[in-house]
Amino acid sequence: MNDNLIGIHWITLTSTWDEEGCRKAIAEAKRIGYSLIELPPLEPGAAITRFTRDRLAEAGLASTVGLGLSEEQDITSPDPEKRAAGEAFLSATVDMCAEVGATMISGITYSAFRKYMEPSTAEGRNHSIEVIRRVAEKGAKAGVSICLEVVNRYETNLLNTAAQATAFCRDVGLPNVKVHLDTYHMNIEETDVYQAIVDCGPHLGFFHVGETNRGYLGAGNIDFNPYFRGLAKAGYKGPVSFESFSSSTVSQPLLGILGIWRDVWEDGIDLAEHSFDFIQAHLKAAREVVARS
Ligand code: MN
């Protein structure tokens, strides 16, 4: 029995979120044993949104929504139009979550998802905190949390370490605003991944498992033990979700932002089966270590 819901990002299972892709992704996730799927943001009230809600309900799968703000939606921007566009998008995604039954928005919710050419500013951070606070207040009424994904320096200039994200959460000061950590990014930016997870502790709300080359877990350079042991030591009970990208399924603009230039896999179903077993085994091993230490 797992303490944590084990999830998978939709793009491993289908390249497009249309009716056919939605049906396939939810059915395969369920068959493999996943209990959660990460959805793309969808338009509230659209036919595909209702279709997604119905397939999720049939399968009994939990769901979250993963996103990254565009440059035109940058809530750290000095341009009030960009901040308003970002807030409107996040607010609409809260409505979408309520419609399909998703409990969380995660990813790069707090800045644009892009390579910045200059450091973040205190003013930009304050703008982001104000927007995240208003969106989270709305989310709280719908049972939706807002998670801030800590990503590497090439994908944001604001939250590159778990400590920065924990401080941001404290400054927002709402219980449904949490930190989202990802092994791929932590491997680049953290000095001690185990300690970073333990210190994040009760602020941690979502966790991505990804390999250095974004492909099969264990087929890259990450030593996953300190990450999973950190989760066990922190007593983390939230979702643990697999994320992978290959040029066989990812298209623009995500392909360009993430730099997905190579096929690291072709069969997303085989990959998803492997990842479920890998995550389940590592969670179990880490719990045994911590229980006996
Ligand atoms: Mn991630």
Side-chain angles (χ1 to χ4, degrees), residues 149-151 180-182 184-185 208 214 243 245:
E149 183 170 15
V150 178
V151 295
H180 167 181
L181 296 177
D182 180 319
Y184 169 83
H185 299 288
H208 267 165
R214 299 290 208 170
E243 184 174 55
F245 303 100

Side-chain angles (χ1 to χ4, degrees), residues 47-60:
I48 186 63
T49 310
R50 294 196 301 275
F51 187 87
T52 299
R53 172 199 65 196
D54 293 345
R55 299 291 83 69
L56 287 170
E58 270 172 17

Side-chain angles (χ1 to χ4, degrees), residues 33 36-37 40 51 62 102 124 206 215 226 229 241 244 283:
L36 179 145
I37 187 164
F51 187 87
F206 200 64
R229 288 176 191 180
S241 195
S244 175
L283 284 171

Side-chain angles (χ1 to χ4, degrees), residues 38-210:
E38 271 184 84
L39 305 169
L42 302 169
E43 195 184 320
I48 186 63
T49 310
R50 294 196 301 275
F51 187 87
T52 299
R53 172 199 65 196
D54 293 345
R55 299 291 83 69
L56 287 170
E58 270 172 17
L61 272 191
S63 61
T64 62
V65 175
L67 59 80
L69 299 178
S70 72
E71 194 166 354
E72 298 309 308
Q73 298 166 329
D74 188 350
I75 61 174
T76 70
S77 171
D79 180 345
E81 282 189 23
K82 289 185 181 180
R83 298 202 301 275
E87 182 165 354
F89 177 57
L90 291 170
S91 178
T93 308
V94 170
D95 292 334
M96 174 234 157
C97 285
E99 188 174 346
V100 305
T103 53
M104 187 182 293
I105 302 173
S106 68
I108 307 159
T109 50
Y110 54 84
S111 79
F113 172 33
R114 71 172 181 100
K115 165 86 161 65
Y116 284 81
M117 299 303 282
E118 61 292 317
S120 61
T121 64
E123 186 191 16
R125 184 178 183 274
N126 287 337
H127 285 319
S128 178
I129 286 171
E130 284 173 21
V131 173
I132 291 291
R133 189 179 288 135
R134 283 195 295 271
V135 171
E137 282 168 352
K138 174 175 173 172
K141 293 177 195 142
V144 176
S145 300
I146 311 298
C147 283
L148 318 158
E149 183 170 15
V150 178
V151 295
N152 71 73
R153 63 191 67 196
Y154 306 109
E155 299 180 25
T156 186
N157 62 358
L158 188 56
L159 302 181
N160 298 137
T161 68
Q164 287 175 321
T166 301
F168 189 101
C169 273
R170 286 207 181 99
D171 288 348
V172 174
L174 292 172
N176 65 327
V177 176
K178 296 201 158 181
V179 179
H180 167 181
L181 296 177
D182 180 319
T183 61
Y184 169 83
H185 299 288
M186 294 183 78
N187 176 63
I188 297 171
E189 301 291 355
E190 300 288 351
T191 51
D192 180 334
V193 298
Y194 173 86
Q195 199 59 45
I197 293 169
V198 171
D199 290 347
C200 190
H203 294 284
L204 187 59
F206 200 64
F207 196 79
H208 267 165
V209 184

